[in-house]
Amino acid sequence: MAKADGEIVIKKYANRRLYNTGTSTYVTLEDLAKMVKKGEEFTVQDAKSGEDITHSVLTQIIFEQESKTGNTLLPISFLRQLISYYGDQMQMVVPSFLEHSMKAFTEQQVQMREQMTKAFGETPLTKNLQAPIQLMEEQVKRNTEMFHQAMQMFSPFLGAQQPKETKKAEAKDIDELKEQLRTLQNKLDNL
């Protein structure tokens, strides 16, 4: 049984070795990370029990990537906030919200690549998008703000605890971000 429903099955043995049943080879977490980046679908099963342990292995890959590169994708404030939702009423909502946010982020990234390619042609800049990191940061800030607003809808008393000055500062920050996004969009449109 090499594949199940088109997905590659990875078996994890008690000695922590991972075996790709599709290629009949042992693989590492780094190999699995490369498969994810290529868009290859796979599930990881405990070799003895057959239990699906894909979630824990993918989490382990994230941990390895975070510690290996030193470049963290998950800020401490995000991790703290995420941990605080375990056991909370919001625990049921957070996974679907994060999944939707990542899908929207990916779609926006594709759109931005297309706009950059239209504006500048095919260059290393448009392939890697290293220079327009600021655009991505603005989008992350916007998504984070949307996340906060969504959480406040489910927990209206959370917003009442903030001092008025904090609320005004956040509103000012949002307005500034909106203006920056408009400015960036105008620049892209002019290109």
Side-chain angles (χ1 to χ4, degrees):
M1 182 176 101
K3 293 186 179 185
D5 298 319
E7 286 188 353
I8 299 167
V9 176
I10 308 294
K11 300 276 186 176
K12 184 173 184 179
Y13 291 93
N15 63 1
R16 298 184 185 178
R17 295 202 65 190
L18 299 163
Y19 184 76
N20 184 334
T21 59
T23 60
S24 300
T25 58
Y26 286 100
V27 294
T28 64
L29 290 176
E30 184 67 32
D31 295 326
L32 295 181
K34 289 176 185 174
M35 291 171 66
V36 168
K37 290 176 182 179
K38 290 180 186 175
E40 296 179 25
E41 295 287 328
F42 61 85
T43 58
V44 183
Q45 297 176 352
D46 181 274
K48 188 174 184 179
S49 69
E51 177 187 1
D52 185 346
I53 57 172
T54 307
H55 186 271
S56 63
V57 170
L58 292 175
T59 305
Q60 188 177 2
I61 291 170
I62 291 170
F63 176 76
E64 296 255 333
Q65 293 293 315
E66 291 269 316
S67 62
K68 181 175 77 172
T69 63
N71 297 329
T72 59
L73 289 179
L74 303 172
I76 290 173
S77 60
F78 174 81
L79 292 172
R80 289 177 197 258
Q81 198 168 26
L82 191 61
I83 290 168
S84 72
Y85 289 121
Y86 281 95
D88 188 276
Q89 301 167 350
M90 298 307 299
Q91 186 173 347
M92 302 282 290
V93 178
V94 172
S96 61
F97 178 81
L98 291 176
E99 188 173 3
H100 176 72
S101 295
M102 284 304 292
K103 182 180 177 188
F105 180 76
T106 302
E107 290 170 358
Q108 290 167 353
Q109 185 180 23
V110 168
Q111 290 173 352
M112 190 166 64
R113 277 195 176 118
E114 289 172 358
Q115 288 178 347
M116 295 291 285
T117 302
K118 286 178 187 176
F120 300 113
E122 194 70 28
T123 66
L125 171 69
T126 58
K127 288 181 184 176
N128 297 326
L129 285 181
Q130 295 298 324
I133 289 175
Q134 185 178 9
L135 292 173
M136 291 295 183
E137 288 174 350
E138 297 298 328
Q139 186 60 46
V140 169
K141 288 178 185 176
R142 195 173 100 204
N143 286 347
T144 303
E145 183 56 36
M146 287 174 30
F147 181 71
H148 284 286
Q149 289 173 355
M151 294 302 114
Q152 286 178 351
M153 286 190 322
F154 290 105
S155 183
F157 300 111
L158 181 65
Q161 296 172 354
Q162 293 180 333
K164 289 181 181 180
E165 297 83 23
T166 306
K167 289 180 186 179
K168 288 180 184 177
E170 287 177 356
K172 182 180 177 187
D173 289 344
I174 292 170
D175 291 339
E176 287 176 6
L177 288 174
K178 287 179 183 178
E179 184 58 36
Q180 289 175 357
L181 284 172
R182 278 190 214 104
T183 303
L184 290 172
Q185 184 62 46
N186 289 338
K187 286 180 181 178
L188 284 174
D189 291 343
N190 291 336
L191 294 174

